[in-house]
Amino acid sequence: MAEAENQKQLLRLIQEGRLDLFKEELQRDEEMSKEVRWKHYGKSGDTLLHYAARHGHLDVLTHLVEALEMDIEMFNNDYKRPLHEAASMGHRDCVLYLLDKGARIDCLKKADWTPLMMACTRKNVEVIKDLIEHGANPLLKNKDGWNCFHIASREGDPQIIQYLLTVSPSSWNTESKIKRTPLHTAAMHGCFDVAKALLERCPYEPDSRDKCGVTPFMDAIQNGHIDIAQLLLEKHKEGHTSTIQMLLSLGADLHAKDGKSRSALHMACAGQHAACVWLLLQAGLQDSLDNTGTFAWQLAKKPDVLQLFKGINVST
C-alpha cells in the first residue's frame, strides 16, 4: 500500500513539474531511485519520460535522461515514445531536446502514427517545422492510409497546409484506404480556409469519389457546410445534379444553412445552375432570406434560372 502511494506521489510530482521534490523523494528511497529508470505505470504503461514530455516539463525531462540515464526510446503499451507525447502536445522545447538527444524521428506508435502525424493534430506550425527540418518524412502513411497532410487538412490550419505544400509539394496527392482525399476531409469538417487553399494549389479532380461514392461536395452538403459546397461549385464548374439526387435519397438535410444563413438554393442560384435549382425547388426547399436580407432568386442572373421560380409560383 505504501509503495503504491509512493508511486502515485512520484507521478504527481512529475506531472506538476516539481523537480526538487521529486529528487528528494528518490534520495529517501535508493531502491525506488533504481526502479523508476525502467518502470512502466498504469494501464497505459507510461514511463516517467512519457509524463514529463506530455506535460512539457523540460527540466524534469532533462533530469530523467541525463541524471537517471533513462532511455528516450522507451515506449508504452501503445508503442508511444516520449517524442510522440511532446509532439502531440506541442511542447517545442521538449521536442527539440529529444531530437538533440537522438530520438528516432519517424518512430511508430500503434496504428502507425509518427510524431509528425501527432504534431499535425495541433495547430503548432513551429513543432511541425522542427520535425521536418530534422528529417521527418511527411509522406509516410498510418494504418488508415492517412499521411500528415491528410491529418492537417482535418484540423483546419491553412498556415500548416501552405507550409506542408511548400516543403513536400506532392503531399496533397494522397488517398486513404477508402479513397478519401484531404479535400474530402476538409469539406467534411468545415475547414473553409483549408479547402480554399487546396483548390488553389492542388489539382484535385472534380467529383473525386471515395469507395462509398461520396464526393467532397457531398461531404460539404451533408454536414451543412454550404460555403465550402459553393466554393467547390465555383472551382469545378459543375452543377452536381446527380450528387443532389443522391444526397436527397440518403436523407440529407435539405434545409441546411451555413453561418450566413445561405441555403443550397442560394448556392445554386449564385452559380447559375438551373438544373440544381429545379431539383431543390421540386424537393420542397423554400426560398428564404440570408443574413444580408437576400433571397436566393435575387442571385439568379440567367433567364432559365429566373424562369424556374416563376414556373412554380415562387414570389419574386
Side-chain angles (χ1 to χ4, degrees), residues 262-274:
R262 295 175 299 189
S263 69
L265 197 57
H266 283 86
M267 177 181 61
C269 287
Q272 312 307 315
H273 300 301

Side-chain angles (χ1 to χ4, degrees), residues 10 21 71 81 83 90 97 103 112 126 129 131 134 162 171 230 237 244 260 264 269:
L10 282 182
L21 291 178
D71 181 2
R81 271 75 168 177
L83 184 59
Y97 175 76
D112 297 336
E126 295 304 322
K129 285 182 179 179
L131 290 166
H134 281 78
Q162 297 288 5
S171 57
Q230 184 165 359
K237 308 298 183 186
I244 291 175
K260 298 179 181 179
C269 287

Side-chain angles (χ1 to χ4, degrees), residues 195-251:
K196 184 178 180 182
L198 295 181
L199 290 170
E200 288 173 350
R201 293 192 61 177
C202 312
Y204 284 107
E205 290 293 322
D207 284 343
S208 57
R209 297 177 181 272
D210 65 14
K211 281 191 174 180
C212 296
V214 176
T215 68
F217 179 82
M218 293 170 68
D219 271 327
I221 291 291
Q222 283 182 309
N223 290 280
H225 306 308
I226 305 300
D227 52 350
I228 295 179
Q230 184 165 359
L231 188 68
L232 289 163
L233 283 181
E234 291 170 354
K235 174 65 178 179
H236 289 152
K237 308 298 183 186
E238 296 290 335
H240 292 285
T241 54
S242 61
T243 300
I244 291 175
Q245 288 172 322
M246 181 180 293
L247 285 168
L248 292 174
S249 71
L250 293 172

Side-chain angles (χ1 to χ4, degrees), residues 38 268 279:
W38 52 263
L279 275 174

Side-chain angles (χ1 to χ4, degrees), residues 16-303:
E16 295 172 1
R18 302 171 74 177
L19 181 57
D20 289 342
L21 291 178
F22 173 75
K23 290 179 180 178
E24 289 178 11
E25 287 292 323
L26 293 190
Q27 286 172 356
R28 281 198 290 267
D29 191 332
E30 185 178 344
E31 193 61 33
M32 182 181 290
S33 178
K34 296 176 182 177
E35 183 182 88
V36 296
R37 297 175 182 176
W38 52 263
K39 179 78 174 176
H40 294 260
Y41 298 88
K43 293 181 180 179
S44 65
D46 287 332
T47 68
L48 295 183
L49 285 174
H50 288 84
Y51 283 99
R54 183 182 305 136
H55 291 277
H57 299 308
L58 179 59
D59 56 342
V60 177
L61 190 64
T62 302
H63 179 75
L64 295 176
V65 174
E66 297 180 13
L68 298 187
E69 299 182 335
M70 290 184 69
D71 181 2
I72 59 173
E73 297 300 340
M74 292 179 76
F75 52 83
N76 66 11
N77 294 341
D78 286 331
Y79 300 105
K80 271 188 184 179
R81 271 75 168 177
L83 184 59
H84 282 105
E85 296 286 1
S88 69
M89 299 305 292
H91 298 310
R92 189 184 183 197
D93 52 354
C94 292
V95 167
L96 289 172
Y97 175 76
L98 290 167
L99 292 174
D100 183 62
K101 289 296 179 181
R104 289 174 53 200
I105 191 71
D106 284 329
C107 52
L108 300 179
K109 78 171 192 72
K110 271 187 180 177
D112 297 336
W113 281 64
T114 66
L116 178 59
M117 292 175 191
M118 301 292 289
C120 285
T121 65
R122 297 274 173 171
K123 297 179 180 180
N124 190 328
V125 70
E126 295 304 322
V127 171
I128 292 170
K129 285 182 179 179
D130 291 332
L131 290 166
I132 289 180
E133 288 171 3
H134 281 78
N137 184 351
L139 300 181
L140 292 179
K141 293 185 176 186
N142 65 21
K143 76 173 184 62
D144 296 315
W146 284 34
N147 66 11
C148 67
F149 190 82
H150 222 139
I151 295 163
S153 296
R154 180 188 65 190
E155 299 307 314
D157 188 331
Q159 183 184 10
I160 291 173
I161 291 298
Q162 297 288 5
Y163 171 73
L164 290 174
L165 285 173
T166 299
V167 297
S168 182
S170 66
S171 57
W172 68 271
N173 190 16
T174 183
E175 292 180 341
S176 70
K177 288 188 175 179
I178 57 171
K179 297 185 71 63
R180 291 181 62 77
T181 67
L183 186 58
H184 280 89
T185 301
M188 179 180 183
H189 290 275
C191 302
F192 180 86
D193 291 336
V194 167
K196 184 178 180 182
L198 295 181
L199 290 170
E200 288 173 350
R201 293 192 61 177
C202 312
Y204 284 107
E205 290 293 322
D207 284 343
S208 57
R209 297 177 181 272
D210 65 14
K211 281 191 174 180
C212 296
V214 176
T215 68
F217 179 82
M218 293 170 68
D219 271 327
I221 291 291
Q222 283 182 309
N223 290 280
H225 306 308
I226 305 300
D227 52 350
I228 295 179
Q230 184 165 359
L231 188 68
L232 289 163
L233 283 181
E234 291 170 354
K235 174 65 178 179
H236 289 152
K237 308 298 183 186
E238 296 290 335
H240 292 285
T241 54
S242 61
T243 300
I244 291 175
Q245 288 172 322
M246 181 180 293
L247 285 168
L248 292 174
S249 71
L250 293 172
D253 183 6
L254 180 66
H255 305 284
K257 293 185 178 182
D258 65 10
K260 298 179 181 179
S261 288
R262 295 175 299 189
S263 69
L265 197 57
H266 283 86
M267 177 181 61
C269 287
Q272 312 307 315
H273 300 301
C276 286
V277 170
W278 183 84
L279 275 174
L280 292 167
L281 291 172
Q282 290 296 311
L285 180 56
Q286 299 290 319
D287 200 357
S288 59
L289 293 169
D290 65 13
N291 286 348
T292 68
T294 304
F295 283 102
W297 72 265
Q298 292 174 295
L299 301 174
K301 305 296 181 185
K302 289 185 176 181

Side-chain angles (χ1 to χ4, degrees), residues 1-9:
M1 190 70 174
E3 182 180 354
E5 285 302 315
N6 287 340
Q7 289 182 0
K8 286 182 181 179
Q9 172 68 1

